[in-house]
Amino acid sequence: MKLTIKPDRGFGKVEVELGELSAEIEKLAERYGVPPERIIEIALIGEFKESKGELEQLEKKAEELEKRVWKLEMEYAPLRYKAYGLSEDNKILAIELSGLIAENNQLRRFLRLPLNRNIELRKLISYYLQG
């Protein structure tokens, strides 16, 4: 990586080959999500701040929270799987019920009886078929 420093005014510019430092600068840039130019600028100006142990504490806390999340995930994964199975069973039952209602209406037409318009039941069937 080659560093070129240009003054605000005038013609003088300085070019420096960073060599081994370029890999370290790239790592820092990737770690903190800033461009490598900004890392070099901070290093030259001395704008960086020293960590007072807060970063390490926050990293430990984040690791603990991540462990708790995975523990909860392990507890709730079987429940989600069962809920999915039940929702699929409900869809199948809704399809069967819809077919039985249609068959019932056809028999009522054949027997010249008044049709049953179960609107609440149809809403319930629609709900289970959608989700």
Side-chain angles (χ1 to χ4, degrees), residues 41-98:
E41 182 182 332
I42 290 171
L44 289 175
I45 296 175
E47 204 175 282
F48 49 89
K49 298 178 183 176
E50 289 294 322
S51 173
K52 297 178 183 174
E54 295 172 358
L55 184 61
E56 290 82 14
Q57 265 184 330
L58 290 173
E59 285 176 349
K60 284 182 183 179
K61 191 171 184 177
E63 287 175 11
E64 290 173 12
L65 289 173
E66 188 176 356
K67 287 178 186 177
R68 283 179 53 197
V69 164
W70 283 111
K71 186 178 177 183
L72 289 173
E73 178 69 25
M74 287 175 20
E75 288 178 18
Y76 290 112
L79 293 174
R80 278 201 321 268
Y81 179 75
K82 287 179 184 176
Y84 174 75
L86 288 174
S87 72
E88 291 300 309
D89 290 345
N90 285 343
K91 280 183 184 179
I92 292 169
L93 290 173
I95 291 169
E96 289 179 14
L97 183 58
S98 178

